[in-house]
Amino acid sequence: MSSALSAMKILQPLPVSTTATGFPENTLLDPLRSNSSFLGSTHKLRFNSLKPSSSSQRRSAVVAVSDVVKEKKLKSNSSLADLLITKEEGLELYEDMVLGRAFEDMCAQMYYRGKMFGFVHLYNGQEAVSTGFIKLLKKEDSVCSTYRDHVHALSKGVPASAVMSELFGKATGCCRGQGGSMHMFSKEHNLLGGFAFIGEGIPVATGAAFTSKYRREVLKEADCDHVTLAFFGDGTCNNGQFFECLNMAALWKLPIVFVVENNLWAIGMSHLRATSDPEIWKKGPAFGMPGVHVDGMDVLKVREVAKEAISRARRGEGPTLVECETYRFRGHSLADPDELRDPAEKARYAARDPIIALKKYMTANNLASEAELMAIEKKIDEVIEGAVEFADASPLPPRSQLLENVFADPKGFGIGPDGKYRCEDPKFTEGTAQV
Amino acid sequence: MAAIMQGIGAATNLSSSFSFDSKGFQLQSVKSLPERITSSLVVRSDGRVIPTSNLKARNVGGRLVTNAVAAKADGSTTSTASKPGHELLLFEALREGLEEEMDRDPRVCVVGEDVGHYGGSYKVTKDLAPKYGDLRVLDTPIAENSFTGMAVGAAMTGLRPIVEGMNMGFLLLAYNQISNNCGMLHYTSGGQFTIPVVIRGPGGVGRQLGAEHSQRLESYFQSIPGIQMVACSTPYNAKGLMKAAIRSENPVILFEHVLLYNLKERIPDEEYVLSLEEAEMVRPGEHITILTYSRMRYHVMQAAKTLVNKGYDPEVIDIRSLKPFDLHTIGNSVKKTHRVLIVEECMRTGGIGASLTAAINENFHDYLDAPVMCLSSQDVPTPYAGTLEEWTVVQPAQIVTAVEQLCQ
């Protein structure tokens, strides 16, 4: 066990201790005493909700996947049955994370080449959260994100070509070029956005969860168990909409999981300088829902927590607040020089790159060979190249598109002086009509 | 023989106003749209438009009552003249419309503070929660921004929520969601998601409610692209607009007025839905066009009585649709009278009247014989003191003076 202990100390990521101190009641999670095959196991997450300030809290110790692997190797007879994932699942996770990383890297390139403009917020380093959660969802489940939404869109199934095209502002983009980087929407894949103001998407996600409950209880669709995930950052957790929605979701037991991507920085504002109590997971029990903290650089840990939170919501037991400790390797956006963050901190997290960690886990456990994983990387490169080509070749939106989606019912433009609805004017579709 | 206008001429306190086709106004072109049903047509045997006389507008304990309205003949009225209709108050008309739509479509739900068990602070949702359940008539915590956003999310995923602001002013807290999400998401998503929400609530200057409860938000919301705004003023149009707003695929903000909830009128028994984009001809005339909406309609009609006695013939139009403006009805009126007076309760700066003045000047400049005059409330936070409050809002005497000035 000594390796695990020393690993814990070294990998202390935050100045505020997130490991063993201060949680005497959580003996289940004391790594020294845990008997589970997975250090910092969250297998025992059965949220009996109603006691907010005591036993419904769960914390996992912050340990790297590689140390889990070491730990497992110390035990004898590790078999495939002890592993957290099957080969297929592992490959799926790996591919999704590589897709996210490669896509974001390509975005940076394209931005600096003048193919996309405005505010572009990249997700490098946080892939474990998106992949860990979204790959557990069904197509009918909904995801609601923020401006850092490219990878959430990809994980949810929006084709890379549609996302890239949207970033280039082309008519073939998922939002016809009208949304842009910060407003990715897909009705087909139930991606509800893409919001520029922080906190703005949380009520929308709460509404989607409300619809799910409404369909089951009012419209009597007994099999409607759709779950909604709301992703947002540490800065958002000081915003009123966050708290208001935690309250409503817990009050009505809505099938929603609030996923905090705590990357410690809101542009240049450190989470610790902005928040009186920086442990966000604690705010869940204050509203009557479980609050969980998980290592967001480790896709397997995230996945374990996500499984429980999502199935809890599906069972109708209500919301969960999951704080994922993660990190963005790049600046807040492509316009951010990122001079404020300590290089040592960046290096510490770079050493916990989720993609490399999963690769090590899979190869060490013989789930996949280096060659198979490299083949995936190559495949993704081709997907990304194809996406760029598609976006390049796509047309820009024509003028006629300007007014088309302002109203779902274009009668909303009103009646013109001639007595006809303005939308009946042939010039209207050309975008040259006077409105 | 003349079919008596329902309720008019009766001694009791009634306000009655009807939407109808006026001769000479080409509204036929929009008649083909299915939602646009005009009803309650009344025939006068000679087909003339006659303003009713000897009517007094009275303030009865907070209820502003007026009944200076004329109705107009239409060819096909014989069938409708026989329906007696039923009498109710404006808030009951809103509830009736709401209930009919909730019966018709199970996806329609109400979200707001005290709408459920309390029945609504102005009783618009009374008895609906016991009938439809706590989830369909949802009592929310006091979190306007979030529950409005929640309604937007619910609308995006298939429901048709109606958000009630207990007082319109509270919706300022939801401005973020109304502007950014309600109005914009249909466009930003490239048309993928529709937001068929209705946002409604009482606004306007009441009886000494103080500055924050006396706000007129129509001017604040009017620039938001992607939303429609309507203001109801009579039980008849309240019910019709409520139903139209619920059925619309666009987000609609329905402005009610605190002082108009107890207006009584006889409305048809048969179902009707009004058009969200059309204005209502209240009183045809020849000398001047007076454009108004909501409570100011009654101040205008009160002034109209005085004006008629002085020999003027004002044409009064309740614009109803605050965004977009019905430039057809308005335009035809301007072309006839060549003079325009706008009377509104909004504040002067950036109000609905300001936009309307601009629209009229842009579109109908050649037809004007005088500058467009706009009477609005003072740019003042509404004071508590009754006398001061009275002076912030346009009063009938000012309207009379303005008309006299314009018609010189």
Side-chain angles (χ1 to χ4, degrees):
Chain A
M1 287 287 195
S2 60
S3 63
L5 253 186
S6 56
M8 253 166 39
K9 285 193 191 133
I10 289 167
L11 293 171
Q12 196 85 235
L14 298 169
V16 171
S17 164
T18 59
T19 51
T21 60
F23 301 99
E25 68 268 26
N26 293 345
T27 52
L28 283 171
L29 291 181
D30 184 340
L32 292 176
R33 295 198 224 156
S34 168
N35 287 326
S36 68
S37 59
F38 177 39
L39 266 179
S41 171
T42 51
H43 283 170
K44 308 265 184 350
L45 286 173
R46 290 287 171 252
F47 303 120
N48 298 319
S49 59
L50 297 172
K51 298 223 174 152
S53 55
S54 56
S55 53
S56 51
Q57 305 167 350
R58 284 293 177 271
R59 295 278 323 285
S60 60
V62 179
V63 180
V65 172
S66 50
D67 291 290
V68 176
V69 172
K70 263 196 251 166
E71 154 70 14
K72 289 171 64 58
K73 284 212 165 134
L74 288 173
K75 293 182 176 175
S76 58
N77 310 323
S78 76
S79 65
L80 275 172
D82 290 339
L83 295 175
L84 292 163
I85 45 172
T86 64
K87 174 174 182 162
E88 291 73 33
E89 288 168 348
L91 292 177
E92 188 194 12
L93 298 179
Y94 190 77
E95 183 170 331
D96 194 53
M97 290 204 288
V98 169
L99 173 64
R101 180 69 59 88
F103 189 93
E104 297 293 70
D105 283 339
M106 183 58 79
C107 278
Q109 266 195 62
M110 293 295 114
Y111 189 84
Y112 293 125
R113 281 197 214 167
K115 299 281 189 71
M116 62 177 85
F117 300 94
F119 292 126
V120 179
H121 308 83
L122 298 182
Y123 201 75
N124 299 49
Q126 300 182 195
E127 294 86 0
V129 180
S130 178
T131 300
F133 267 95
I134 299 180
K135 283 306 169 199
L136 291 169
L137 294 181
K138 303 187 291 197
K139 195 172 188 190
E140 301 80 28
D141 295 323
S142 299
V143 166
C144 213
S145 180
T146 59
Y147 45 74
R148 206 178 296 281
D149 56 352
H150 306 168
V151 178
H152 294 139
L154 296 171
S155 292
K156 195 63 175 61
V158 183
S161 52
V163 182
M164 189 62 81
S165 194
E166 181 65 28
L167 292 169
F168 283 26
K170 301 295 181 86
T172 51
C174 54
C175 300
R176 307 179 84 199
Q178 290 164 194
S181 168
M182 299 185 280
H183 303 285
M184 294 289 168
F185 288 84
S186 169
K187 189 158 178 83
E188 186 193 339
H189 299 279
N190 288 303
L191 174 67
L192 303 175
F195 293 93
F197 287 21
I198 59 153
E200 209 173 45
I202 307 177
V204 174
T206 309
F210 178 79
T211 301
S212 179
K213 185 180 168 91
Y214 188 97
R215 286 172 65 178
R216 194 172 46 243
E217 295 182 19
V218 176
L219 301 179
K220 307 291 186 219
E221 294 173 23
D223 55 350
C224 181
D225 60 354
H226 304 159
V227 167
T228 306
L229 300 184
F231 291 92
F232 47 93
D234 45 283
T236 308
C237 295
N238 294 324
N239 185 277
Q241 286 168 106
F242 169 63
F243 299 110
E244 289 173 7
C245 289
L246 284 186
N247 178 44
M248 291 196 290
L251 186 62
W252 299 318
K253 285 209 159 83
L254 300 181
I256 184 171
V257 183
F258 296 102
V259 184
V260 182
E261 295 171 320
N262 182 355
N263 58 22
L264 296 178
W265 292 90
I267 309 187
M269 188 64 165
S270 152
H271 175 57
L272 303 171
R273 287 184 69 219
T275 317
S276 55
D277 184 348
E279 295 183 286
I280 301 169
W281 61 271
K282 273 185 183 175
K283 299 177 190 187
F287 288 91
M289 73 177 78
V292 190
H293 178 278
V294 70
D295 174 6
M297 305 303 279
D298 181 338
V299 69
L300 300 178
K301 287 200 185 119
V302 172
R303 193 178 153 91
E304 287 302 296
V305 170
K307 263 191 210 164
E308 179 56 31
I310 291 171
S311 50
R312 195 180 120 78
R314 261 196 234 294
R315 286 193 302 265
E317 290 170 22
T320 312
L321 175 66
V322 180
E323 179 186 353
C324 303
E325 182 203 326
T326 182
Y327 202 76
R328 51 171 165 83
F329 294 158
R330 303 184 85 112
H332 165 74
S333 72
L334 288 173
D336 173 16
D338 193 19
E339 288 158 351
L340 209 51
R341 300 191 298 174
D342 180 11
E345 181 189 80
K346 294 191 215 181
R348 263 204 316 273
Y349 279 98
R352 293 164 62 187
D353 187 326
I355 296 177
I356 298 175
L358 182 63
K359 188 175 204 171
K360 278 196 200 156
Y361 181 85
M362 293 192 37
T363 49
N365 286 287
N366 296 317
L367 284 173
S369 65
E370 283 270 355
E372 279 172 309
L373 298 178
M374 295 226 5
I376 290 181
E377 287 164 30
K378 189 163 183 314
K379 170 181 161 197
I380 293 299
D381 280 341
E382 282 165 23
V383 168
I384 303 295
E385 294 272 345
V388 173
E389 273 168 29
F390 174 79
D392 264 334
S394 294
L396 288 164
R399 175 111 197 223
S400 58
Q401 201 181 299
L402 181 65
L403 301 172
E404 269 173 19
N405 301 124
V406 177
F407 288 106
D409 178 359
K411 294 212 297 290
F413 281 114
I415 303 170
D418 60 358
K420 296 207 288 225
Y421 274 93
R422 286 204 168 90
C423 53
E424 292 166 18
D425 177 351
K427 288 222 215 91
F428 180 83
T429 50
E430 292 167 33
T432 54
Q434 174 84 1
V435 291
Chain B
M1 74 86 192
I4 302 296
M5 193 180 314
Q6 294 144 5
I8 273 285
T12 50
N13 308 332
L14 290 175
S15 94
S16 34
S17 52
F18 303 88
S19 81
F20 52 88
D21 289 338
S22 281
K23 219 191 269 183
F25 283 74
Q26 279 115 40
L27 292 173
Q28 278 75 17
S29 59
V30 296
K31 218 177 179 158
S32 54
L33 298 157
E35 294 91 336
R36 190 189 164 282
I37 305 166
T38 56
S39 52
S40 303
L41 300 168
V42 170
V43 187
R44 303 292 291 205
S45 55
D46 54 5
R48 269 193 314 136
V49 173
I50 301 184
T52 52
S53 58
N54 78 336
L55 298 161
K56 288 199 312 201
R58 303 196 320 228
N59 278 332
V60 181
R63 266 168 49 192
L64 192 55
V65 170
T66 177
N67 24 26
V69 175
K72 167 67 187 73
D74 178 289
S76 59
T77 55
T78 43
S79 53
T80 56
S82 53
K83 296 250 192 246
H86 57 286
E87 218 172 58
L88 41 52
L89 304 180
L90 195 146
F91 76 88
E92 292 168 337
L94 287 168
R95 185 174 68 225
E96 212 175 77
L98 184 49
E99 198 168 345
E100 283 175 19
E101 292 304 302
M102 287 181 82
D103 278 335
R104 182 178 174 267
D105 186 345
R107 298 169 301 164
V108 177
C109 54
V110 183
V111 172
E113 294 159 9
D114 274 330
V115 295
H117 293 191
Y118 194 75
S121 51
Y122 289 92
K123 300 296 170 233
V124 174
T125 51
K126 186 161 184 282
D127 296 331
L128 295 184
K131 180 175 175 189
Y132 295 110
D134 280 348
L135 214 52
R136 270 192 94 178
V137 187
L138 186 72
D139 278 324
T140 62
I142 306 175
E144 279 80 4
N145 201 13
S146 291
F147 70 68
T148 305
M150 198 177 92
V152 171
M156 286 167 76
T157 45
L159 299 186
R160 304 185 76 91
I162 297 155
V163 177
E164 172 170 314
M166 188 184 273
N167 182 287
M168 263 285 167
F170 300 170
L171 293 179
L172 286 175
L173 289 152
Y175 204 109
N176 172 36
Q177 291 290 342
I178 294 173
S179 167
N180 282 334
N181 286 349
C182 213
M184 294 198 195
L185 286 190
H186 183 72
Y187 192 82
T188 323
S189 67
Q192 291 181 81
F193 289 100
T194 56
I195 324 269
V197 294
V198 177
I199 297 174
R200 49 161 291 270
V205 175
R207 291 267 173 264
Q208 298 189 248
L209 300 178
E212 290 178 14
H213 281 84
S214 309
Q215 299 192 69
R216 288 125 281 166
L217 298 200
E218 50 268 23
S219 52
Y220 303 174
F221 289 137
Q222 66 174 322
S223 291
I224 300 174
I227 55 145
Q228 283 185 251
M229 305 200 305
V230 287
C232 62
S233 50
T234 68
Y236 178 76
N237 65 34
K239 180 176 173 185
L241 290 175
M242 170 72 95
K243 287 169 72 85
I246 295 172
R247 292 190 194 189
S248 172
E249 293 303 311
N250 298 332
V252 178
I253 306 184
L254 170 59
F255 290 91
E256 302 154 14
H257 196 287
V258 276
L259 292 181
L260 300 184
Y261 278 128
N262 287 328
L263 285 178
K264 192 190 283 193
E265 185 181 0
R266 184 168 289 273
I267 66 170
D269 287 330
E270 69 268 21
E271 194 184 25
Y272 67 95
V273 179
L274 295 177
S275 164
L276 289 174
E277 296 88 22
E278 283 180 26
E280 183 179 318
M281 176 65 65
V282 181
R283 181 194 186 282
E286 298 288 327
H287 290 163
I288 181 171
T289 299
I290 306 182
L291 303 172
T292 183
Y293 65 92
S294 193
R295 178 199 173 198
M296 285 298 117
R297 167 185 176 140
Y298 296 95
H299 281 201
V300 167
M301 292 313 292
Q302 195 177 334
K305 191 196 64 89
T306 311
L307 288 167
V308 163
N309 288 341
K310 292 191 178 194
Y312 293 95
D313 187 21
E315 176 153 296
V316 179
I317 296 177
D318 181 341
I319 62 173
R320 252 173 34 191
S321 175
L322 306 181
K323 177 177 161 121
F325 295 132
D326 177 1
L327 288 183
H328 185 245
T329 308
I330 294 170
N332 285 347
S333 180
V334 175
K335 289 175 191 175
K336 183 168 71 159
T337 66
H338 311 296
R339 289 176 163 78
V340 181
L341 172 66
I342 301 170
V343 180
E344 57 166 1
E345 202 176 320
C346 241
M347 299 208 228
R348 174 132 213 98
T349 304
I352 298 290
S355 299
L356 192 49
T357 306
I360 293 172
N361 280 327
E362 254 173 39
N363 286 290
F364 308 115
H365 177 83
D366 284 341
Y367 297 95
L368 291 170
D369 284 347
V372 175
M373 198 189 282
C374 182
L375 296 179
S376 332
S377 295
Q378 302 286 323
D379 279 345
V380 164
T382 310
Y384 165 73
T387 44
L388 292 178
E389 183 184 70
E390 208 181 291
W391 293 324
T392 59
V393 177
V394 178
Q395 298 296 338
Q398 293 165 266
I399 302 172
V400 172
T401 312
V403 169
E404 287 173 336
Q405 202 179 327
L406 272 178
C407 287
Q408 265 159 12

